[in-house]
Amino acid sequence: MSDSGELTPEELAERDQRRAERRARGEAFVDCACGNKHWGILGAAGILAWRTEDSAGDGGRPEGTDRVRRSEPDVLLQLRVSWSHRGGTWAVPGGAINRGETAWEGAVREFTEESGFDALKEPTGSHVLQHPDWVYTTFVAQVDDPNVELVPNDESEDLRWVPISEVASLDLMEPFRAALPTLRALIDKQVD
């Protein structure tokens, strides 16, 4: 950066190169005919991960040896950082689908980047939000290990397990709020 605080020509060129590379991958906003901007030239996808049990963690037992069955599933939610698109709201970890990825592959990549793990079972369903020039797919998948360590990245203000009955009480990203009944029904079908 120059003494005046402006970017040097080299820094400007480097910034423009990074932007071009992101755009080539599909990471840019779409001006949709619905009147809104959406993130992801090729669409976007995320995963509503869920669990029904976790470690008791009591007594002198090693963690993970006793499991506690919950009365209802927990779902993993992300509080989006303020600088992100629709920051300050709760939603699922997810983001733009890159060139050459299926919606599921993009969802897993984004989920892993934002949660720190990818130990998920195959998806058992999805909800598709279709716009004129853009689509967002939310997959539902159970975690392999209900005690997996969460390692949020810089796109997460918070990342936590929330009982499914409490999700609607949070400040949710509006498209996620609209999809929640369908997503919850998909989870309910899987719970014994």
Side-chain angles (χ1 to χ4, degrees):
M1 195 170 284
S2 69
D3 292 337
S4 67
E6 295 179 16
L7 295 177
T8 65
E10 294 81 15
E11 290 169 326
L12 285 169
E14 188 176 309
R15 182 197 64 193
D16 291 346
Q17 177 65 31
R18 283 192 309 271
R19 285 181 178 167
E21 289 169 359
R22 284 195 307 268
R23 187 165 194 63
R25 283 193 305 268
E27 298 171 4
F29 281 100
V30 171
D31 288 315
C32 185
C34 75
N36 291 314
K37 286 183 180 253
H38 305 292
W39 183 248
I41 295 170
L42 306 170
I47 300 172
L48 182 60
W50 61 278
R51 67 181 187 180
T52 55
E53 59 184 36
D54 64 4
S55 161
D58 61 359
R61 296 186 186 112
E63 192 164 325
T65 57
D66 277 353
R67 300 275 186 209
V68 172
R69 181 86 175 163
R70 299 180 169 282
S71 59
E72 65 178 325
D74 286 338
V75 294
L76 183 62
L77 296 182
Q78 173 194 47
L79 179 59
R80 301 171 61 78
V81 293
S82 60
W83 55 260
S84 69
H85 188 53
R86 297 183 182 166
T89 59
W90 290 90
V92 300
I97 298 168
N98 285 347
R99 292 199 193 287
E101 290 180 326
T102 65
W104 173 246
E105 290 166 343
V108 170
R109 178 185 47 74
E110 285 285 342
F111 181 90
T112 302
E113 290 172 6
E114 295 174 4
S115 71
F117 74 96
D118 66 356
L120 298 164
K121 297 181 180 181
E122 287 297 313
T124 54
S126 64
H127 175 273
V128 176
L129 175 64
Q130 182 69 56
H131 280 249
D133 302 302
W134 183 80
V135 64
Y136 190 98
T137 305
T138 305
F139 293 95
V140 170
Q142 187 176 11
V143 296
D144 280 334
D145 177 3
N147 295 302
V148 68
E149 180 184 359
L150 303 178
V151 185
N153 72 359
D154 63 352
E155 294 179 41
S156 302
E157 187 73 31
D158 194 4
L159 196 62
R160 73 171 75 147
W161 291 104
V162 178
I164 200 163
S165 64
E166 296 176 17
V167 172
S169 68
L170 298 172
D171 184 12
L172 302 178
M173 182 184 284
E174 276 310 312
F176 175 57
R177 180 177 296 285
L180 189 57
T182 300
L183 297 168
R184 183 170 181 171
L186 290 168
I187 293 172
D188 288 345
K189 279 196 230 179
Q190 299 299 310
V191 177
D192 299 334

